[in-house]
Amino acid sequence: NYIIGAGGKRIRPLLTLAMAKLCGYSGKRHLNLAAVIEFIHTATLLHDDVVDNSNKRRGKKTANYIWGNKSSILVGDFLLSKAFRILVDDGSLKCIDIISKVSEKISFGEVKQLVSIGNLSLSEPEYLDIINCKTAKLFSAACQLSGEISEISEGKKKALSDFGTYLGISYQIIDDTLDYFSNEKSSGKEIGNDFKEHKMTLPLILTFKRSNNKEKNYLDFLIKKKKINKDDLSWIVEKMTKYDVEKDCLQKAKHFSLMAKDSIGLFNLNYDKEKILRLVDFLVHRET
């Protein structure tokens, strides 16, 4: 109840429901499959907060902060098990295959991110590969499930998969950018958390790439510090502003959002598609 009450946009299960409508699906299987997506996402958040030692999410204290790491890990495991139980009851081997593959990719992406901690030489393509695994793959799976239960062509199924991938990448770039430039009160997250955890996200990658040698050396010093203070964070944001990092990150996110829109060009423009296109715009221009 605490986790559900914490809120959230529920974007991933919403995509499953929306894509089912776009495909003209008239049954009820998409409801349980949307729940599968949300269970998996919630499980990854519970586990992530333990790994990152996070104290706040969505403006509330994290489950691991209140009940401890053991409870968070076990509840996360329960949600993953419940998701696969629902999939077995649904009976589609293809849907099980989609979710098992995405579960593997999410874990792989998290491990790759863990290995890249504090690595200032991480390239933009390497970063995109990480967020493709840890975020975009679940967006893609959310869309793919609707394609599998609907009688649509393989080309349209591929279009749904691509849409989710590009939207997921765009979403994560926005998320990583807001970590430095949003308001903590409205976002519900601690600002600068990624830098405090020495995570290499696109804003930091671009800042390091564009910095002069003196700034690079100081960044290297900061990324190795055990504890980042407000002055350190202010210095980082100042350099990001100096090199137009926020603008360029948002532009990159917009680029992937346009690719997402183009991906579903095979589908006729109607009320349901218009709502999906508006959802893309909402996610790109959000402030939390």
Side-chain angles (χ1 to χ4, degrees):
N1 285 337
Y2 181 83
I3 293 166
I4 293 171
K9 302 177 189 67
R10 312 285 195 242
I11 295 299
R12 295 155 186 83
L14 180 61
L15 285 174
T16 303
L17 302 178
M19 290 306 181
K21 284 193 172 187
L22 182 66
C23 294
Y25 178 71
S26 58
K28 294 185 177 181
R29 290 170 63 194
H30 64 310
L31 301 176
N32 282 339
L33 294 176
V36 166
I37 292 294
E38 184 63 10
F39 280 162
I40 291 175
H41 176 55
T42 303
T44 62
L45 294 185
L46 285 167
H47 290 167
D48 282 354
D49 285 341
V50 171
V51 172
D52 297 336
N53 197 28
S54 300
N55 297 326
K56 186 185 289 187
R57 181 178 289 277
R58 295 167 181 162
K60 300 180 72 173
K61 293 176 181 177
T62 56
N64 57 295
Y65 182 82
I66 298 174
W67 290 285
N69 290 343
K70 292 180 181 179
S71 295
S72 291
I73 292 293
L74 290 173
V75 172
D77 290 346
F78 168 77
L79 291 175
L80 287 173
S81 302
K82 184 67 175 176
F84 278 96
R85 181 71 256 171
I86 295 172
L87 282 171
V88 170
D89 290 341
D90 177 77
S92 169
L93 287 177
K94 187 61 179 176
C95 288
I96 293 174
D97 184 55
I98 290 170
I99 295 301
S100 63
K101 284 178 179 176
V102 77
S103 298
E104 178 187 8
K105 284 293 184 181
I106 290 172
S107 299
F108 182 66
E110 292 291 351
V111 171
K112 288 192 73 172
Q113 183 176 67
L114 191 63
V115 172
S116 72
I117 292 291
N119 179 15
L120 286 169
S121 64
L122 190 77
S123 68
E124 185 175 329
E126 288 172 323
Y127 160 79
L128 291 174
D129 185 51
I130 290 171
I131 67 171
N132 179 38
C133 289
K134 69 185 285 285
T135 300
K137 289 296 183 185
L138 188 57
F139 273 73
S140 181
C143 300
Q144 287 181 66
L145 291 178
S146 294
E148 283 306 319
I149 62 173
S150 306
E151 295 182 1
I152 60 174
S153 67
E154 290 301 317
K156 285 187 174 181
K157 288 180 182 178
K158 176 68 163 53
L160 294 182
S161 175
D162 289 345
F163 173 87
T165 296
Y166 294 133
L167 181 60
I169 291 174
S170 175
Y171 183 92
Q172 190 59 55
I173 292 174
I174 293 288
D175 223 41
D176 293 342
T177 306
L178 289 174
D179 185 71
Y180 288 96
F181 294 99
S182 71
N183 180 281
E184 185 172 327
K185 187 175 181 180
S186 61
S187 68
K189 300 177 183 177
E190 294 179 15
I191 302 306
N193 234 21
D194 287 342
F195 191 71
K196 292 172 186 175
E197 294 163 8
H198 303 160
K199 288 181 181 177
M200 292 304 302
T201 58
L202 188 59
L204 190 56
I205 290 170
L206 293 182
T207 302
F208 183 73
K209 184 179 179 181
R210 297 171 184 181
S211 294
N212 58 42
N213 288 334
K214 184 179 179 181
E215 291 165 341
K216 278 184 167 69
N217 289 333
Y218 192 62
L219 263 173
D220 185 59
F221 164 75
L222 290 180
I223 206 73
K224 291 174 180 175
K225 280 184 71 175
K226 287 186 176 180
K227 194 169 184 179
I228 299 297
N229 57 45
K230 288 185 178 180
D231 289 338
D232 296 332
L233 191 57
S234 295
W235 186 88
I236 289 293
V237 174
E238 181 185 315
K239 298 310 167 192
M240 288 181 175
T241 303
K242 173 184 176 181
Y243 292 112
D244 288 327
V245 166
E246 181 183 16
K247 182 190 74 174
D248 290 345
C249 285
L250 296 179
Q251 192 62 37
K252 179 75 71 174
K254 186 176 181 181
H255 165 74
F256 280 106
S257 75
L258 291 174
M259 291 178 71
K261 288 182 177 182
D262 289 343
S263 296
I264 53 173
L266 288 173
F267 293 88
N268 293 328
L269 185 62
N270 55 27
Y271 176 74
D272 294 316
K273 183 174 179 179
E274 285 180 348
K275 291 186 76 173
I276 291 169
L277 296 177
R278 286 203 297 271
L279 175 64
V280 174
D281 291 334
F282 164 76
L283 293 179
V284 172
H285 295 104
R286 75 188 196 278
E287 296 182 355
T288 61

